[in-house]
Amino acid sequence: MADSKRINKEDTGRLLDEWSKEFSVSVPSRENGMPAMLPWDGKDTSFLEWYRNTVIPPKANFFPPYEKMFDFQKGAEGYHLELPPSDKQKQLIFGIRPCDARALTILDTVFQDTYQDPYYLSRRANTVLVGLGCTNPYDSCFCTSLGISPGESTDVDLMFTDTGDGFFIEPVSDKGRELLAATGGLEDGLEADEARAKDVKEAAYRKITRRIDTGDIQQRLAACFENQDYWEKVAAKCVSCGICTFLCPTCYCFDINDELSQDEGTRFRSWDSCSFPIYTRMPMENPRQEKWRRVRQKVCHKYWFYPVNLDITACTGCGRCIRLCPVNWDITQTLNNLPASS
Amino acid sequence: MEQRLRSEVKALLEQGKIDRVIGFEPGSLKFTTTPLITSDGGDVDHLVINPFIVNNLSVYLTGTSGRVGIVAKGCDSRSIVSLIQDNKVLRENVVIIGIPCSGVIDLTKVERLAGKDRDELDDIVRQGDKITVTVGGERKEFPASEVLFDNCLGCEFPTPREYDILLDEPVTPTPDKAISEQKLDSLREMPPEQRWQFWKEEFSRCIRCYACRNVCPACFCERCFVEESEPQWVLPVPRWQDNLIFQVIRSIHVAGRCTDCGECERACPVNIPLRSLTREMCNLAEELFNYKVGIDKEAPPLFVAYELEEAEDLIR
Ligand code: SF4
Ligand code: SF4
Ligand code: SF4
Ligand code: SF4
């Protein structure tokens, strides 16, 4: 590829250093044993050794677990609102996985649907995504069933592929091309690198063995929607916590709360989950009192309602919901065992 | 044990002595198990017992109707007793199938020792006090004391005392408080400011997924205080202050009910050392009230009973 580049692994720190001059750079970090995309400390590149994927999905860099929406004061004329200063800082996320980059493409559809969400969208606009293809996927990964390959570059600006001693770097978007043009000290990619990168991507693809059958999935879900026995059976062990939704890179539900003192206060939004029995209790009641309805909702939303409304499946096969669930509830089993009818 | 378990459960179901069973079946990932809740005799052959049966299944009892057979390790059986004491479960509605337990393997410890993730390990085999981990064809041996859960290492009651069926001979308890409470000891040694800083940092990571609460059999409130909006005790916003208050109140609410099963800490996706709080609650219940949880199903729950002479010490 004409405009591709290459870099030796030991020069990664230098590259991140250079980017840090213009961007606030985040990299995979496991400070306190909780892998997440966190600000780079300017030295540590050990993530190149251990990083497979993060526990906290990179959606948190755009849609954090909680954020202030605005402050408000009650005055004689009504309420005065003060928005937090908009975050102009340009960010660069280094090492985002293909599934998590796809998740942002999925989230974009909802945050810029009828309502343009300024908080999420401004961060999105300010951010460059530098992808890093997977070479060692988890046993819980099933991205290939969702049309994503572990070496996929579609949803990032710049793509890195591990070629052993170094990385093969491909620009993907205009943003990525510009960044690459402005970055000094990179060698041109060689044909051998490109060939090697292709092999690496194919090998990673073959490593993924967990699969779901997505053929006619909407019809199949519709056919067993009323099958209470099935949903009760698959939901039995779920404890209705927030792990599989909070840590799903495509789940976007949030709750809004005010912290009040006398005539002023702050409005926050924070992650919410359709797994919780009290979900939507505030504006009305939760129409899904029974657990099996909530589990059914989670599955159908991702694989049926979301595609119908926004034309994209809201699951990337990242496997976090399987890997992190305290009772090993497994969405691939639920989908693969769907009964043919009610 | 596994064969005996399956035949016992089959018989219980056939004779109509239970309507359903709660046990473990193989999980969908390497070295995991998953809860199996079923009334279908055909599922019984999936039941397993191995060193990876992490969950405290008694958490399902309050939500399961009818007569229930339940597979219980030592700590789980004490949770059941505690639920009986709190009138959440009726003794005659449960058939406790006890497992004399020699401890459950903490995969996080194995991963750390082996330098590889769970799914990269070829095999983990337990033989008595040794655990052999095979990685890339190479075998590494570790003493059980390095790979079992901290709470298992301090367990005083590995064999259920309350049971209907005991699947094997009782195991001799070998609690080692020092190893089991290593983390807690390092916290005890910290000056208060440092300890405050420690918890502040830990709770900054909490995302309020409530997995700790939802896997806990002692957290049986139908409406948790965090969900009250009038008054609003804490905001659902996961700021460290609110997170800490949530966890401190939860710890106090489970005091006298917590059996140190360790599930809250294991379930936490962001590795907050919750057991350092809940274990301390167990220690306090013992020190202050000479109360061990889940030992006597006839006894009133710790915070329900009150002796006049306690007034002197406790309420000042
Ligand atoms: S993480 Fe597991 S237990 Fe928690 S809500 Fe999801 S499926 Fe249920
Ligand atoms: S549903 Fe599960 S596998 Fe799919 S994107 Fe969400 S966390 Fe990942
Ligand atoms: S499990 Fe961990 S992250 Fe979740 S609410 Fe409990 S302490 Fe917080
Ligand atoms: S507080 Fe934690 S250790 Fe105690 S019973 Fe509940 S889950 Fe088990």
Side-chain angles (χ1 to χ4, degrees), chain A residues 87-291:
Chain A
D87 196 351
K88 295 252 162 47
Q89 174 63 47
K90 292 210 272 177
Q91 350 173 29
L92 183 149
I93 298 188
F94 181 82
I96 190 169
R97 294 303 189 192
C99 56
D100 291 338
R102 172 65 52 86
L104 294 174
T105 305
I106 296 167
L107 284 178
D108 291 347
T109 61
V110 81
F111 281 120
Q112 59 185 6
D113 190 26
T114 331
Y115 177 75
Q116 304 278 314
D117 186 278
Y119 308 94
Y120 173 90
L121 292 174
S122 66
R123 293 186 191 112
R124 264 298 255 157
N126 287 343
T127 304
V128 180
L129 297 179
V130 180
L132 178 57
C134 298
T135 48
N136 185 17
Y138 284 108
D139 61 351
S140 46
C141 296
F142 59 104
C143 55
T144 53
S145 297
L146 278 307
I148 305 167
S149 89
E152 180 98 24
S153 60
T154 318
D155 304 283
V156 298
D157 297 306
L158 209 59
M159 187 67 188
F160 276 49
T161 305
D162 188 334
T163 51
D165 297 338
F167 295 109
F168 178 64
I169 310 173
E170 299 161 86
V172 182
S173 68
D174 289 342
K175 240 187 202 174
R177 240 178 290 278
E178 272 167 40
L179 175 65
L180 207 53
T183 305
L186 297 172
E187 293 167 37
D188 286 343
L190 306 174
E191 241 165 68
D193 299 321
E194 189 171 358
R196 176 93 189 101
K198 189 164 166 274
D199 289 347
V200 167
K201 289 180 188 185
E202 283 169 7
Y205 195 98
R206 283 193 301 271
K207 279 192 188 165
I208 292 184
T209 52
R210 185 173 294 274
R211 267 193 195 95
I212 53 162
D213 172 12
T214 52
D216 298 329
I217 189 76
Q218 295 173 31
Q219 289 76 0
R220 287 191 289 126
L221 282 167
C224 72
F225 188 74
E226 302 286 354
N227 189 334
Q228 184 174 341
D229 285 347
Y230 180 66
W231 293 107
E232 278 185 345
K233 187 156 180 148
V234 296
K237 65 186 174 185
C238 167
V239 296
S240 301
C241 70
I243 290 183
C244 60
T245 44
F246 281 6
L247 299 180
C248 172
T250 74
C251 277
Y252 55 81
C253 281
F254 57 82
D255 188 14
I256 291 179
N257 282 279
D258 290 345
E259 187 174 50
L260 288 168
S261 64
Q262 300 286 7
D263 289 340
E264 53 180 31
T266 303
R267 176 159 295 183
F268 292 97
R269 75 169 172 192
S270 51
W271 290 350
D272 200 356
S273 168
C274 65
S275 299
F276 294 154
I278 65 154
Y279 181 73
T280 67
R281 181 83 70 77
M282 197 273 287
M284 47 173 299
E285 264 305 313
N286 187 347
R288 298 183 282 267
Q289 292 290 345
E290 302 104 316
K291 183 168 67 177

Side-chain angles (χ1 to χ4, degrees), chain B residues 204-257:
Chain B
S204 309
R205 294 200 305 277
C206 169
I207 53 172
R208 293 279 276 286
C209 66
Y210 299 125
C212 50
R213 178 194 68 184
N214 292 15
V215 296
C216 174
C219 277
F220 51 65
C221 290
E222 275 174 30
R223 184 136 194 201
C224 179
F225 73 95
V226 291
E227 280 149 17
E228 296 285 347
S229 47
E230 286 178 76
Q232 189 148 44
W233 305 98
V234 297
L235 277 186
V237 179
R239 293 177 299 189
W240 72 266
Q241 298 92 331
D242 300 74
N243 303 340
L244 183 132
I245 290 174
F246 156 57
Q247 205 57 244
V248 165
I249 299 184
R250 194 187 85 85
S251 304
I252 295 170
H253 284 183
V254 300
R257 299 191 168 96

Side-chain angles (χ1 to χ4, degrees), chain A residues 32-34 52 66 136 138-139 210 233 236-237 239-240 242-243 246 257 259 268 278 326-328 330 333, chain B residues 27-29 34-35 37 43 55 60 117-120 205 207-209 214 227 236 238-239 266-267 270-271:
Chain A
N32 302 317
M34 180 205 64
R52 299 175 74 195
Y66 76 90
N136 185 17
Y138 284 108
D139 61 351
R210 185 173 294 274
K233 187 156 180 148
K237 65 186 174 185
V239 296
S240 301
I243 290 183
F246 281 6
N257 282 279
E259 187 174 50
F268 292 97
I278 65 154
V327 302
N328 179 235
D330 187 330
Q333 290 177 331
Chain B
S28 73
L29 301 173
T34 185
I37 304 170
D43 289 338
N55 303 271
Y60 296 112
D117 288 339
R118 174 193 48 76
D119 61 329
E120 298 171 300
R205 294 200 305 277
I207 53 172
R208 293 279 276 286
C209 66
N214 292 15
E227 280 149 17
R239 293 177 299 189
R266 186 194 63 86
V270 299
N271 297 339

Side-chain angles (χ1 to χ4, degrees), chain A residues 68-73 80-86 115 118-119:
Chain A
K68 186 203 271 195
M69 300 180 82
F70 51 79
D71 292 313
F72 54 88
Q73 290 99 31
H80 169 72
L81 302 189
E82 202 172 313
L83 294 172
S86 82
Y115 177 75
Y119 308 94

Side-chain angles (χ1 to χ4, degrees), chain A residues 14-57:
Chain A
R14 195 193 46 71
L15 179 65
L16 295 176
D17 245 351
E18 180 173 342
W19 285 342
S20 296
K21 289 180 195 138
E22 193 182 346
F23 299 93
S24 136
V25 172
S26 291
V27 301
S29 156
R30 59 175 173 189
E31 223 181 301
N32 302 317
M34 180 205 64
M37 290 292 183
L38 297 178
W40 191 49
D41 66 0
K43 1 179 231 294
D44 189 9
T45 53
S46 64
F47 63 86
L48 294 176
E49 301 298 317
W50 60 260
Y51 171 55
R52 299 175 74 195
N53 207 349
T54 55
V55 166
I56 306 290

